[in-house]
Amino acid sequence: MPHWYLLLNDSEEVIGCAGLITNDFISRMDLYPWVCALFIDANYRGKAYGSLLLEKAKEDAKKGGFSHLYLCTDHIGLYEKYHFKYIGEGYHPWGVSSRIYEAVLTD
């Protein structure tokens, strides 16, 4: 780690990205790895392309021997669709909080 993922369209243009890192600038240093910087271009949203990046991060985290994967966000109702569960709040060094989600990586 870190791992960075790019999602390309048929024309080889970047339409999305995400990262797999050890900490996403959040106070919960005891939790890792984290999905970070998940982004899908506005023209491609609503087609579940983000799930491709999340699944790849889950797969790589599991291959790395991890049993859980985390992310922090202000979104409510989005990541639950991809089997992430809200587990509490975390705090960033710049003083704001974010919701922390956890996915259990199973066979």
PDB file of all heavy atoms in Angstrom, residues 4 11 16 22 26 29 33 39 45 52 61 65 72-73 90 95 103:
ATOM      1  N   TRP A   4      -3.437   2.677  -6.078  1.00  0.00           N
ATOM      2  CA  TRP A   4      -4.312   3.655  -6.716  1.00  0.00           C
ATOM      3  C   TRP A   4      -4.965   3.008  -7.918  1.00  0.00           C
ATOM      4  O   TRP A   4      -4.319   2.268  -8.660  1.00  0.00           O
ATOM      5  CB  TRP A   4      -3.524   4.905  -7.120  1.00  0.00           C
ATOM      6  CG  TRP A   4      -2.953   5.564  -5.917  1.00  0.00           C
ATOM      7  CD1 TRP A   4      -1.674   5.477  -5.468  1.00  0.00           C
ATOM      8  CD2 TRP A   4      -3.664   6.328  -4.946  1.00  0.00           C
ATOM      9  NE1 TRP A   4      -1.545   6.165  -4.301  1.00  0.00           N
ATOM     10  CE2 TRP A   4      -2.744   6.702  -3.945  1.00  0.00           C
ATOM     11  CE3 TRP A   4      -4.991   6.746  -4.829  1.00  0.00           C
ATOM     12  CZ2 TRP A   4      -3.108   7.470  -2.847  1.00  0.00           C
ATOM     13  CZ3 TRP A   4      -5.352   7.514  -3.727  1.00  0.00           C
ATOM     14  CH2 TRP A   4      -4.416   7.873  -2.759  1.00  0.00           C
ATOM     15  N   SER A  11     -12.601   4.816 -24.534  1.00  0.00           N
ATOM     16  CA  SER A  11     -11.633   5.693 -25.203  1.00  0.00           C
ATOM     17  C   SER A  11     -10.373   5.896 -24.370  1.00  0.00           C
ATOM     18  O   SER A  11      -9.566   6.772 -24.690  1.00  0.00           O
ATOM     19  CB  SER A  11     -12.275   7.057 -25.479  1.00  0.00           C
ATOM     20  OG  SER A  11     -13.422   6.907 -26.280  1.00  0.00           O
ATOM     21  N   GLY A  16     -13.013   7.593 -13.431  1.00  0.00           N
ATOM     22  CA  GLY A  16     -13.135   7.396 -11.992  1.00  0.00           C
ATOM     23  C   GLY A  16     -11.811   6.997 -11.385  1.00  0.00           C
ATOM     24  O   GLY A  16     -10.874   6.618 -12.090  1.00  0.00           O
ATOM     25  N   THR A  22      -3.287   3.341   4.134  1.00  0.00           N
ATOM     26  CA  THR A  22      -3.256   2.922   5.536  1.00  0.00           C
ATOM     27  C   THR A  22      -4.057   3.831   6.447  1.00  0.00           C
ATOM     28  O   THR A  22      -4.513   3.391   7.502  1.00  0.00           O
ATOM     29  CB  THR A  22      -1.812   2.825   6.058  1.00  0.00           C
ATOM     30  OG1 THR A  22      -1.156   4.066   5.839  1.00  0.00           O
ATOM     31  CG2 THR A  22      -1.064   1.701   5.358  1.00  0.00           C
ATOM     32  N   ILE A  26      -7.672  10.474   9.369  1.00  0.00           N
ATOM     33  CA  ILE A  26      -8.757  10.340  10.345  1.00  0.00           C
ATOM     34  C   ILE A  26      -8.153   9.877  11.664  1.00  0.00           C
ATOM     35  O   ILE A  26      -7.113   9.221  11.686  1.00  0.00           O
ATOM     36  CB  ILE A  26      -9.858   9.379   9.821  1.00  0.00           C
ATOM     37  CG1 ILE A  26     -11.172   9.527  10.569  1.00  0.00           C
ATOM     38  CG2 ILE A  26      -9.400   7.957   9.790  1.00  0.00           C
ATOM     39  CD1 ILE A  26     -12.016  10.648  10.088  1.00  0.00           C
ATOM     40  N   MET A  29      -6.434   5.703  13.998  1.00  0.00           N
ATOM     41  CA  MET A  29      -5.203   5.087  13.499  1.00  0.00           C
ATOM     42  C   MET A  29      -5.183   3.573  13.736  1.00  0.00           C
ATOM     43  O   MET A  29      -4.358   2.868  13.165  1.00  0.00           O
ATOM     44  CB  MET A  29      -3.992   5.737  14.163  1.00  0.00           C
ATOM     45  CG  MET A  29      -3.873   7.233  13.882  1.00  0.00           C
ATOM     46  SD  MET A  29      -3.626   7.623  12.157  1.00  0.00           S
ATOM     47  CE  MET A  29      -1.919   7.193  11.975  1.00  0.00           C
ATOM     48  N   PRO A  33      -6.988  -1.269   6.338  1.00  0.00           N
ATOM     49  CA  PRO A  33      -6.768  -0.203   5.372  1.00  0.00           C
ATOM     50  C   PRO A  33      -8.054   0.586   5.084  1.00  0.00           C
ATOM     51  O   PRO A  33      -9.142   0.180   5.474  1.00  0.00           O
ATOM     52  CB  PRO A  33      -6.298  -0.957   4.132  1.00  0.00           C
ATOM     53  CG  PRO A  33      -7.011  -2.258   4.200  1.00  0.00           C
ATOM     54  CD  PRO A  33      -7.089  -2.584   5.672  1.00  0.00           C
ATOM     55  N   PHE A  39     -14.016   8.639  -6.661  1.00  0.00           N
ATOM     56  CA  PHE A  39     -14.611   9.669  -7.503  1.00  0.00           C
ATOM     57  C   PHE A  39     -15.025   9.056  -8.828  1.00  0.00           C
ATOM     58  O   PHE A  39     -14.272   8.293  -9.430  1.00  0.00           O
ATOM     59  CB  PHE A  39     -13.607  10.803  -7.773  1.00  0.00           C
ATOM     60  CG  PHE A  39     -14.134  11.839  -8.721  1.00  0.00           C
ATOM     61  CD1 PHE A  39     -14.990  12.830  -8.284  1.00  0.00           C
ATOM     62  CD2 PHE A  39     -13.776  11.813 -10.060  1.00  0.00           C
ATOM     63  CE1 PHE A  39     -15.489  13.788  -9.163  1.00  0.00           C
ATOM     64  CE2 PHE A  39     -14.267  12.750 -10.952  1.00  0.00           C
ATOM     65  CZ  PHE A  39     -15.122  13.740 -10.500  1.00  0.00           C
ATOM     66  N   ARG A  45     -21.973   8.902 -13.496  1.00  0.00           N
ATOM     67  CA  ARG A  45     -22.589   8.536 -12.217  1.00  0.00           C
ATOM     68  C   ARG A  45     -23.949   7.886 -12.433  1.00  0.00           C
ATOM     69  O   ARG A  45     -24.571   8.048 -13.467  1.00  0.00           O
ATOM     70  CB  ARG A  45     -22.731   9.773 -11.329  1.00  0.00           C
ATOM     71  CG  ARG A  45     -21.379  10.275 -10.880  1.00  0.00           C
ATOM     72  CD  ARG A  45     -21.467  11.474  -9.997  1.00  0.00           C
ATOM     73  NE  ARG A  45     -20.119  11.994  -9.786  1.00  0.00           N
ATOM     74  CZ  ARG A  45     -19.854  13.217  -9.377  1.00  0.00           C
ATOM     75  NH1 ARG A  45     -20.833  14.051  -9.103  1.00  0.00           N
ATOM     76  NH2 ARG A  45     -18.606  13.593  -9.224  1.00  0.00           N
ATOM     77  N   LEU A  52     -17.280  -0.909  -8.897  1.00  0.00           N
ATOM     78  CA  LEU A  52     -16.126  -1.611  -9.473  1.00  0.00           C
ATOM     79  C   LEU A  52     -14.845  -1.258  -8.713  1.00  0.00           C
ATOM     80  O   LEU A  52     -14.025  -2.134  -8.418  1.00  0.00           O
ATOM     81  CB  LEU A  52     -15.966  -1.250 -10.946  1.00  0.00           C
ATOM     82  CG  LEU A  52     -17.119  -1.619 -11.869  1.00  0.00           C
ATOM     83  CD1 LEU A  52     -16.887  -1.051 -13.268  1.00  0.00           C
ATOM     84  CD2 LEU A  52     -17.307  -3.117 -11.918  1.00  0.00           C
ATOM     85  N   ALA A  61      -7.432  -5.688  -0.570  1.00  0.00           N
ATOM     86  CA  ALA A  61      -7.268  -5.692   0.890  1.00  0.00           C
ATOM     87  C   ALA A  61      -7.323  -7.117   1.418  1.00  0.00           C
ATOM     88  O   ALA A  61      -6.511  -7.511   2.270  1.00  0.00           O
ATOM     89  CB  ALA A  61      -8.339  -4.827   1.546  1.00  0.00           C
ATOM     90  N   GLY A  65      -4.353  -9.832   3.278  1.00  0.00           N
ATOM     91  CA  GLY A  65      -4.515 -10.442   4.587  1.00  0.00           C
ATOM     92  C   GLY A  65      -5.419  -9.684   5.546  1.00  0.00           C
ATOM     93  O   GLY A  65      -5.503 -10.033   6.727  1.00  0.00           O
ATOM     94  N   CYS A  72     -14.108   6.821   5.210  1.00  0.00           N
ATOM     95  CA  CYS A  72     -14.759   7.916   5.920  1.00  0.00           C
ATOM     96  C   CYS A  72     -15.430   8.815   4.893  1.00  0.00           C
ATOM     97  O   CYS A  72     -14.913   9.020   3.794  1.00  0.00           O
ATOM     98  CB  CYS A  72     -13.795   8.671   6.814  1.00  0.00           C
ATOM     99  SG  CYS A  72     -12.354   9.369   6.019  1.00  0.00           S
ATOM    100  N   THR A  73     -16.600   9.323   5.265  1.00  0.00           N
ATOM    101  CA  THR A  73     -17.409  10.092   4.334  1.00  0.00           C
ATOM    102  C   THR A  73     -18.464  10.891   5.085  1.00  0.00           C
ATOM    103  O   THR A  73     -18.752  10.610   6.252  1.00  0.00           O
ATOM    104  CB  THR A  73     -18.100   9.145   3.331  1.00  0.00           C
ATOM    105  OG1 THR A  73     -18.806   9.922   2.359  1.00  0.00           O
ATOM    106  CG2 THR A  73     -19.072   8.207   4.019  1.00  0.00           C
ATOM    107  N   GLY A  90     -15.173   9.831  13.253  1.00  0.00           N
ATOM    108  CA  GLY A  90     -13.742  10.051  13.368  1.00  0.00           C
ATOM    109  C   GLY A  90     -13.463  11.520  13.130  1.00  0.00           C
ATOM    110  O   GLY A  90     -14.328  12.250  12.629  1.00  0.00           O
ATOM    111  N   GLY A  95      -9.953  19.498  12.158  1.00  0.00           N
ATOM    112  CA  GLY A  95     -11.020  19.788  13.113  1.00  0.00           C
ATOM    113  C   GLY A  95     -12.428  19.389  12.740  1.00  0.00           C
ATOM    114  O   GLY A  95     -13.347  19.635  13.514  1.00  0.00           O
ATOM    115  N   ALA A 103     -16.410  -2.455   6.071  1.00  0.00           N
ATOM    116  CA  ALA A 103     -16.878  -3.615   5.303  1.00  0.00           C
ATOM    117  C   ALA A 103     -16.118  -4.835   5.790  1.00  0.00           C
ATOM    118  O   ALA A 103     -14.895  -4.788   5.946  1.00  0.00           O
ATOM    119  CB  ALA A 103     -16.639  -3.426   3.807  1.00  0.00           C
TER     120      ALA A 103
END
